[in-house]
Amino acid sequence: MKVILNFIYASSGEKTGIVKKFEQFENRELETVRQHQIDYPMFTVSIWLYLLHNCEKDLCGILYFIDPKEMYSTPAVFLNEEGYVHIQMHLMRGDDLAVKTSFSLPLKQWFRLDLSFKGGQIEVSSVGKNLKRHHHQSFIFREDFYYDDTAGYFVLGGSGYVNGIEAFFGPVKYYRLNVLETEQISNTLHDKETVEQIELYYERCMDIQEIVNEYRRVVKQGEKAQRNRFCENYYLKLIHKYGEKSKCDAFMWGKELREKYHTLFKLLKETDFSAPDVLEDGSDTVLEVGQRIFEKVSKGLSRTDGLSNMGSSVSLLVESSCCGYHKASYFLAVIFETGLGVSVDRTKGLLYSLVGAQGNERLAVMNLGYKHYQGINNYPLDLELSYAYYSNIAIKTSLDQHTIKGEQAFVETIRLMDDELLKAQTKENGDVFMWLKHEATRGNAAAQQRLAQMLFWGQQGVAKNPEAAIEWYAKGAIETEDPVLIYDYAIVLFKGQGVKKNTKLALELMKKAAAKGLPQAVNGLGWYYHNFKRDYRKAAEHWLVAEELGNPDASYNLGVLYLDGIYPGVPGRNQTVAAHYFYKAAQGGHIEGTLRCSLYYITGNMEDFPRDPEKAVIWAKHIAEKNGYLGHVIRKALNAYLELSWHEALLHYILAAETGIEVSQSNLAHICEERPDLARKYLATDCVWRYYNFSVSQVNAPSFAYLKMGDFYYYGYQNQSKDLELSMRMYAQAALEGDSQGFFNLALVIEEGNSIPSYILDHLEIDQALHSSGMSLLQELYYRCWNNSNQESISPCSLALLYFYMRVFWNNILQSTLIYFMGPFLLSILVAFAVTYFQSLSAHSSPGARAEPSSDELSSSGSSNEDATRLIQQDESTFSNDLAQQESNPQNPLVTS
């Protein structure tokens, strides 16, 4: 028996799902049996489901097998639009046959779907929570099925080939080589509390949605009656058009219900049900009410003492969530999981994480992906499940970056401990922005480019304003000979974003930029010939040149030509060569290239990409963390911090930190250190410990986080016990990151009489044979400390190294008669050195403060393109074809699709 899934999975109906691959049996006898059953398969699959809707269109994936040729194989189980189960099998003769059950699957109740396969026979059963069979049906085929469960991979839910079902998956078990009756299957719903919470949630939400829909129906009926009675009255039409919104004052609901949902009824009275964009079924109305409730709560929580009202906000957030506005669901998940203003409730935290993820709330999906990747907070470590969530948001990230609307911002790595970056944050009326605008108006190309980037992506605290950005790109392209500005404006004209499409002028500008040697412009010409002229030969020629110039988009586009089988002079598709180009594009930071490679790693279907679920997760996570909606939350947190709005900063940094964003985790820990009173009052969890601990578990953790955790383990932190070995591991990791303090702390550990484990020394690449004695090891650590610090000034490391050498020297002369002559001389040198050192400290030290840049700083930074853009790391981005929509980035604001 194999466990495909052992924890609840929220399937949102997207083209992502859980990928599982099975290897051959290690037992030789079992493997022999399996191979004999390829033409006469015998196996059973048992799946728990809580189905929310039938398939919206055609078929939706439940469980299916994909072979090495990326084709459906045995079995392929789908849900259709009527709720029936569609089962497709691959026959030995090579074709496929499909059957459909005569019974439909129930909605909004837990049930188990059992399927057993024996030769050419299929048994399908649905079982309720009480394990009693509801339906059963048999299918008999005249031919046997072909089934090799090691030649390909299973998918649970959606994939690139089909949308998944909208449901919650419970435990899924696969019995290899065994045909079992329903009574013999051992697959129960073990997490009964969460299972019941999901049922109760949707029951409650049905009541709330019914109130909204019924309220809307009553108002619409009143409007209709009024129109029928006075249809020819011109003045009544004017009143209807310009007067008050339609509302219902005569409540048909009881007093108890009105009091229970007081805010809901109040918002319903304020809602305009006659708006033309409201659908007939009222679905938009329900969502709009949910959004209004959420905005009301969010505004209240962002006030000066907002978090003190958390208790009363929770019930309103529940109502918002029930109306389908799942930002509220994620708020609730974080509130209950961290104990933000309420008691910690892990079950409710999990419930709202699942509900939010099922509703496609991006932060909720990332939260689940992160928790399963790390295996923290009672979430089991499950890389395939983590990948299902992360790949969902990674795909959306690419699409989101092509949508200039919505609450998005460029994801920037800004640490609250970095005063220089904090000083660079500005707004439309800030000194930095005003100076850039002044320089841009004077024709400074670097200033025009930076200003346009800030406005287009919403960087450095500037509100996102694509229309204003396009004006600066146009001005720069016309007034200067800067190839990047010319290229950017060419893209604007090609896509017609903010301006009228002008393909002729766009092509002229693109050629001009390409003639100046701009790699992305050469790639853009290839895109033009591919999409406008269908001239694949010219497209390939330009992409080959651009790739030689290091453009990752060109690498990806060449891969697409090979994948589609349209590369000039090469017959047929070549997935191997295509994968090579995709990998090269991924190495250059290309979003779609990275996504394709992550898929190769999770499926293991490509020879050059052996299955590696952890690498697949890391690559998908990397792309997901560029999502603009997440960037918007991080930006709100940073702005609140800069404005000293502590409650709002704490709230939004927690929302970002729980998705697994390292910079938000370490920033949140810093805030909790800076304002311990705030953390103690509103957080039930130990904020500093939790988020520094989360930070050091990340691939890209900063060295100061390792040092913090090292100190916590060394000295003990509140209710956390001391752990010397863990402390040394943290210091060693900081040292490996190039932080001199890590080496310094390790040396102090030795100074205090402790020894460093050999595996840590090996990790630091310290030869134990050469440094067997304590003094030799101390010398090596102090030397590395000095070597990794600023050698041009006096530092603790240089002083420590000097002191070490003096101790060695002193110990040597203590054993010599020279001590009578050298003692007074050395003492006088030490005194003179100490006096000089402390005088220099007094002259140069001054307390740091957060401040706006001075006019001198602005003047000096405006002289070059490098200075104007030095604070934000830029990624190059260029045209891609229809299948190669590229990664958005600050240097090139628009991409083709």
Side-chain angles (χ1 to χ4, degrees):
M1 186 268 292
K2 293 285 186 180
V3 176
I4 294 181
L5 181 64
N6 201 33
F7 197 78
I8 296 174
Y9 167 52
S11 175
S12 61
E14 300 290 309
K15 288 183 176 291
T16 53
I18 299 171
V19 176
K20 286 283 182 178
K21 189 175 179 69
F22 296 107
E23 303 296 334
Q24 297 180 358
F25 285 104
E26 293 182 3
N27 182 290
R28 188 175 299 176
E29 293 179 2
L30 287 175
E31 178 56 23
T32 302
V33 173
R34 188 194 68 78
Q35 291 185 13
H36 280 299
Q37 290 186 4
I38 287 177
D39 59 354
Y40 192 86
M42 296 177 64
F43 65 95
T44 302
V45 179
S46 178
I47 308 167
W48 278 103
L49 289 169
Y50 185 88
L51 197 59
L52 294 174
H53 305 285
N54 292 330
C55 189
E56 199 169 289
K57 185 181 178 182
D58 300 328
L59 299 174
C60 296
I62 298 177
L63 177 73
Y64 44 96
F65 192 79
I66 303 292
D67 69 14
K69 295 181 180 179
E70 297 295 319
M71 301 291 289
Y72 290 124
S73 188
T74 303
V77 184
F78 305 98
L79 180 73
N80 71 8
E81 296 172 75
E82 291 80 31
Y84 299 108
V85 182
H86 174 105
I87 306 170
Q88 183 174 306
M89 310 298 291
H90 188 64
L91 303 180
M92 286 297 298
R93 68 187 184 200
D95 55 351
D96 299 297
L97 286 177
V99 294
K100 183 178 71 173
T101 60
S102 58
F103 63 88
S104 60
L105 300 181
L107 296 178
K108 295 185 178 175
Q109 60 178 279
W110 285 99
F111 67 92
R112 196 177 77 192
L113 182 65
D114 296 335
L115 304 102
S116 63
F117 302 82
K118 183 179 181 181
Q121 184 174 343
I122 307 173
E123 302 287 336
V124 186
S125 301
S126 71
V127 180
K129 275 177 68 178
N130 56 5
L131 300 184
K132 289 184 179 179
R133 181 185 289 177
H134 291 169
H135 301 281
H136 176 78
Q137 191 170 359
S138 298
F139 301 96
I140 299 177
F141 291 77
R142 294 181 179 178
E143 291 191 49
D144 292 334
F145 309 136
Y146 175 84
Y147 180 59
D148 183 355
D149 65 355
T150 65
Y153 56 92
F154 277 102
V155 178
L156 197 67
S159 68
Y161 307 105
V162 65
N163 287 82
I165 55 174
E166 293 185 59
F168 295 99
F169 283 87
V172 179
K173 292 187 177 180
Y174 167 48
Y175 298 84
R176 296 177 90 180
L177 314 183
N178 282 307
V179 178
L180 301 177
E181 297 287 336
T182 297
E183 297 76 16
Q184 297 174 300
I185 295 173
S186 175
N187 184 20
T188 57
L189 276 172
H190 46 79
D191 191 357
K192 292 184 178 179
E193 190 175 7
T194 305
V195 163
E196 290 173 1
Q197 285 288 331
I198 289 174
E199 290 177 319
L200 290 171
Y201 170 82
Y202 284 101
E203 287 174 12
R204 174 190 172 91
C205 291
M206 283 178 65
D207 293 340
I208 291 176
Q209 291 175 16
E210 187 178 333
I211 289 172
V212 175
N213 285 322
E214 186 63 20
Y215 191 103
R216 172 185 172 277
R217 187 186 67 80
V218 171
V219 172
K220 297 290 281 186
Q221 279 184 344
E223 287 179 343
K224 187 175 181 181
Q226 198 175 40
R227 285 196 302 269
N228 290 340
R229 186 176 176 185
F230 304 106
C231 59
E232 299 300 326
N233 192 321
Y234 173 73
Y235 294 103
L236 283 175
K237 287 183 179 179
L238 291 178
I239 292 172
H240 176 74
K241 185 174 181 181
Y242 299 107
E244 292 185 6
K245 297 174 183 177
S246 303
K247 56 189 178 183
C248 177
D249 293 314
F251 289 110
M252 64 180 67
W253 295 274
K255 181 180 178 182
E256 183 180 346
L257 195 64
R258 296 206 312 269
E259 289 179 350
K260 183 178 179 180
Y261 299 114
H262 170 73
T263 305
L264 178 62
F265 280 112
K266 184 179 178 182
L267 285 170
L268 286 173
K269 289 183 69 176
E270 299 170 356
T271 302
D272 183 7
F273 292 99
S274 62
D277 57 343
V278 175
L279 298 180
E280 282 301 313
D281 63 0
S283 57
D284 278 11
T285 302
V286 176
L287 188 62
E288 181 189 346
V289 169
Q291 182 177 352
R292 288 193 179 190
I293 296 173
F294 175 80
E295 288 171 350
K296 178 183 178 70
V297 174
S298 181
K299 186 176 180 181
L301 293 176
S302 298
R303 290 174 183 161
T304 306
D305 59 344
L307 296 181
S308 59
N309 301 318
M310 186 62 76
S312 60
S313 300
V314 167
S315 59
L316 297 177
L317 288 170
V318 171
E319 291 175 12
S320 176
S321 170
C322 279
C323 289
Y325 198 73
H326 290 297
K327 285 186 178 180
S329 303
Y330 181 61
F331 264 58
L332 288 165
V334 171
I335 287 167
F336 285 117
E337 186 137 325
T338 62
L340 182 60
V342 299
S343 300
V344 173
D345 190 327
R346 302 283 188 200
T347 303
K348 286 186 178 179
L350 172 59
L351 166 69
Y352 288 108
S353 286
L354 290 169
V355 167
Q358 199 290 316
N360 247 328
E361 167 54 33
R362 287 161 176 76
L363 272 65
V365 177
M366 289 186 66
N367 171 47
L368 288 173
Y370 171 63
K371 298 296 170 58
H372 285 297
Y373 171 52
Q374 295 288 354
I376 51 180
N377 293 141
N378 299 321
Y379 290 78
L381 176 64
D382 189 328
L383 294 176
E384 286 93 351
L385 184 51
S386 175
Y387 177 81
Y389 289 125
Y390 270 129
S391 61
N392 183 354
I393 304 306
I395 292 170
K396 284 184 172 60
T397 297
S398 176
L399 299 173
D400 289 341
Q401 290 186 343
H402 294 277
T403 305
I404 61 175
K405 296 181 180 179
E407 294 184 332
Q408 297 192 67
F410 188 76
V411 179
E412 299 171 280
T413 302
I414 300 173
R415 301 195 182 278
L416 302 184
M417 293 71 76
D418 191 331
D419 288 336
E420 287 301 313
L421 274 180
L422 290 181
K423 290 175 184 177
Q425 303 309 301
T426 184
K427 289 189 176 181
E428 287 79 350
N429 58 354
D431 290 345
V432 173
F433 186 87
M434 295 302 292
W435 176 83
L436 281 172
K437 191 173 181 179
H438 171 72
E439 287 296 301
T441 305
R442 292 176 55 193
N444 186 317
Q448 290 171 342
Q449 186 180 336
R450 185 71 198 115
L451 195 66
Q453 291 164 5
M454 291 166 68
L455 287 165
F456 196 89
W457 298 112
Q459 294 177 347
Q460 285 185 243
V462 175
K464 194 173 181 181
N465 189 342
E467 291 77 16
I470 289 169
E471 289 180 10
W472 285 111
Y473 280 124
K475 182 179 176 64
I478 295 169
E479 293 182 357
T480 73
E481 290 296 310
D482 184 77
V484 174
L485 287 168
I486 295 170
Y487 166 77
D488 288 336
Y489 190 50
I491 300 175
V492 169
L493 293 170
F494 267 127
K495 293 181 70 72
Q497 287 185 298
V499 293
K500 187 179 179 180
K501 276 189 179 182
N502 190 333
T503 306
K504 183 179 179 181
L505 177 58
L507 180 60
E508 289 177 8
L509 291 171
M510 190 66 72
K511 287 180 176 178
K512 187 176 181 181
K516 292 176 176 290
L518 192 68
Q520 52 264 46
V522 179
N523 176 71
L525 287 176
W527 174 86
Y528 169 80
Y529 286 114
H530 179 276
N531 287 275
F532 284 85
K533 298 297 185 181
R534 294 291 185 266
D535 188 335
Y536 303 134
R537 183 184 61 80
K538 280 192 174 181
E541 287 174 358
H542 281 89
W543 285 337
L544 285 169
V545 173
E547 197 216 12
E548 284 294 319
L549 294 171
N551 184 261
D553 291 292
S555 300
Y556 184 82
N557 292 339
L558 288 168
V560 172
L561 289 181
Y562 279 103
L563 188 67
D564 291 346
I566 56 175
Y567 192 91
V570 178
R573 302 173 73 223
N574 192 324
Q575 292 193 62
T576 303
V577 176
H580 163 76
Y581 278 114
F582 293 149
Y583 184 80
K584 191 170 183 180
Q587 293 294 94
H590 193 278
I591 284 185
E592 282 78 13
T594 305
L595 283 174
R596 285 190 181 271
C597 290
S598 72
L599 181 63
Y600 292 152
Y601 282 123
I602 197 70
T603 63
N605 246 17
M606 291 292 295
E607 186 177 346
D608 294 336
F609 292 82
R611 180 167 156 82
D612 190 337
E614 185 173 8
K615 186 174 287 187
V617 171
I618 291 172
W619 284 38
K621 180 177 185 284
H622 173 70
I623 299 302
E625 290 181 349
K626 295 176 181 289
N627 191 270
Y629 288 91
L630 174 64
H632 176 71
V633 174
I634 295 173
R635 171 49 62 180
K636 286 186 75 172
L638 179 61
N639 287 346
Y641 176 80
L642 294 172
E643 294 167 4
L644 301 181
S645 179
W646 294 103
H647 285 236
E648 187 179 5
L650 185 67
L651 172 64
H652 286 95
Y653 268 125
I654 290 175
L655 292 171
E658 289 295 314
T659 66
I661 298 295
E662 187 286 317
V663 66
S664 295
Q665 291 172 341
S666 53
N667 281 349
L668 179 55
H670 176 76
I671 288 177
C672 292
E673 284 184 303
E674 199 172 354
R675 287 294 306 274
D677 56 320
L678 200 69
R680 283 194 299 267
K681 185 175 181 180
Y682 295 112
L683 277 170
T685 53
D686 190 325
C687 175
V688 176
W689 175 271
R690 176 183 176 87
Y691 292 106
Y692 274 134
N693 204 17
F694 281 0
S695 176
V696 297
S697 301
Q698 302 272 26
V699 175
N700 57 339
S703 61
F704 68 81
Y706 290 117
L707 294 173
K708 285 281 185 183
M709 289 305 299
D711 289 345
F712 292 161
Y713 284 122
Y714 189 81
Y715 297 106
Y717 181 78
Q718 296 185 5
N719 60 339
Q720 306 292 336
S721 58
K722 297 180 180 181
D723 191 321
L724 181 60
E725 187 171 338
L726 266 177
S727 173
M728 288 188 284
R729 285 171 58 182
M730 293 292 140
Y731 293 148
Q733 192 60 46
L736 286 172
E737 296 293 324
D739 196 312
S740 59
Q741 188 69 42
F743 290 109
F744 188 84
N745 289 359
L746 286 172
L748 290 181
V749 168
I750 295 177
E751 295 271 22
E752 294 180 5
N754 302 298
S755 59
I756 299 177
S758 58
Y759 73 91
I760 292 179
L761 294 176
D762 290 339
H763 200 49
L764 292 169
E765 297 183 350
I766 294 178
D767 192 334
Q768 297 176 61
L770 294 176
H771 305 286
S772 55
S773 68
M775 293 299 287
S776 175
L777 185 55
L778 268 177
Q779 180 180 350
E780 178 66 15
L781 291 172
Y782 280 135
Y783 175 78
R784 292 195 182 190
C785 176
W786 170 77
N787 198 42
N788 282 275
S789 60
N790 186 357
Q791 299 176 17
E792 295 181 359
S793 62
I794 297 175
S795 66
C797 292
S798 58
L799 290 174
L801 186 61
L802 175 63
Y803 179 61
F804 173 80
Y805 284 133
M806 291 187 67
R807 278 189 297 166
V808 172
F809 181 64
W810 188 261
N811 288 335
N812 288 335
I813 36 182
L814 279 177
Q815 301 170 16
S816 167
T817 56
L818 285 174
I819 186 172
Y820 299 107
F821 304 100
M822 297 294 295
F825 175 70
L826 289 174
L827 183 60
S828 62
I829 290 177
L830 280 173
V831 170
F833 176 79
V835 169
T836 304
Y837 175 67
F838 286 113
Q839 284 178 342
S840 66
L841 281 182
S842 176
H844 291 94
S845 63
S846 62
R850 213 182 299 159
E852 293 292 328
S854 67
S855 58
D856 291 341
E857 289 172 321
L858 291 172
S859 299
S860 63
S861 65
S863 59
S864 71
N865 182 42
E866 179 183 356
D867 289 334
T869 60
R870 65 187 177 86
L871 293 172
I872 302 296
Q873 180 180 356
Q874 308 294 342
D875 296 324
E876 290 190 352
S877 151
T878 53
F879 276 117
S880 301
N881 59 32
D882 290 345
L883 290 176
Q885 293 184 346
Q886 66 187 25
E887 174 185 2
S888 300
N889 56 67
Q891 280 203 344
N892 301 299
L894 301 173
V895 292
T896 61
S897 59

